[in-house]
Amino acid sequence: MEPIKGLRTVSAVAALCLVLTLLVSCATTSEDETNSTYQSPPGTTTTIILLRHGGRDIYSAEADDPLTWEGRRRAQHLPEVIGDMGVSAIYCTNLRRNRETAQPLADHLGLKLNLVSQGRLFDYKKLSRDLLDEFFTEHAGGVVVWVGNLRNLEEMYELLDGTGSPPTKYGDVFIVTVPDVTPPRIKKMKYGEEG
């Protein structure tokens, strides 16, 4: 009995397709897993402090909205809340409201603001991953502040295994302690509130 012509070729193509499908599936799974949980480099614990700008003045006639009166008051109180936590770097967007929120803390600590251009805000998922990668490589074992905006704060909080509401309300300060082995711990606070 003679084998059917082409059957061997069809079987080989089917086997190749199955192998390729499995490889793509494995690659996607491992990439998703490595992007979902961040850990500080071995032997370090990195702290990331997440907060939104103090409050946007949407009624301003200026092109780059400044802070509201309440937002300026919050910003002045920020050093009282996190100024003694050993902050080693402060990052914020170059939007005026973010700079105005971060500047009192930078002045108090004698630090320069690390400004992120507005153009990077549109792809907030990439921005969040890029910033976290930078925090863990450039500032491993340190304390980094990110004064962000809605989307990038939501994304960063999720990437750091945050549960519940992200730090998107004016006055929220979330302190995320990221060890090298165990999952991150999150402490939720407020800044700029009358006590």
Side-chain angles (χ1 to χ4, degrees):
M1 187 164 180
E2 206 172 301
I4 301 172
K5 291 184 181 181
L7 184 59
R8 224 184 259 177
T9 305
V10 171
S11 297
V13 170
L16 181 61
C17 287
L18 178 62
V19 168
L20 288 174
T21 302
L22 289 172
L23 286 175
V24 168
S25 172
C26 289
T28 304
T29 303
S30 62
E31 182 181 319
D32 289 346
E33 287 171 4
T34 53
N35 284 339
S36 66
T37 302
Y38 281 86
Q39 290 185 310
S40 197
T44 67
T45 296
T46 305
T47 300
I48 300 170
I49 300 175
L50 301 173
L51 63 130
R52 189 176 179 193
H53 59 78
R56 177 181 183 179
D57 184 357
I58 59 172
Y59 301 109
S60 168
E62 300 176 45
D64 189 3
D65 297 334
L67 289 174
T68 60
W69 178 85
E70 294 90 352
R72 287 192 302 277
R73 182 179 56 77
R74 282 187 193 101
Q76 292 304 317
H77 287 285
L78 191 56
E80 295 170 16
V81 178
I82 61 173
D84 64 352
M85 293 185 172
V87 172
S88 50
I90 303 169
Y91 285 73
C92 68
T93 69
N94 65 355
L95 293 168
R96 182 176 174 186
R97 59 190 174 270
N98 296 73
R99 292 190 326 265
E100 288 179 350
T101 301
Q103 196 62 57
L105 179 64
D107 291 344
H108 175 77
L109 298 172
L111 294 173
K112 181 181 152 212
L113 295 178
N114 294 289
L115 298 175
V116 174
S117 72
Q118 277 180 270
R120 294 182 67 194
L121 294 176
F122 296 107
D123 189 352
Y124 63 90
K125 288 180 180 275
K126 181 177 180 348
L127 171 65
S128 299
R129 287 188 307 273
D130 288 350
L131 284 173
L132 287 175
D133 289 343
E134 184 170 338
F135 297 166
F136 289 116
T137 55
E138 301 294 321
H139 306 286
V143 178
V144 182
V145 174
W146 169 244
V147 180
N149 303 84
L150 278 173
R151 296 284 182 244
N152 53 64
L153 283 167
E154 291 170 342
E155 182 70 15
M156 230 181 251
Y157 185 64
E158 184 177 322
L159 289 170
L160 291 170
D161 295 336
T163 58
S165 298
T168 55
K169 294 186 177 122
Y170 299 135
D172 281 350
V173 175
F174 286 19
I175 300 155
V176 186
T177 305
V178 187
D180 58 344
V181 178
T182 57
R185 296 181 312 276
I186 300 170
K187 179 180 179 183
K188 301 175 182 184
M189 301 172 61
K190 292 282 190 185
Y191 75 102
E193 291 194 335
E194 305 273 336

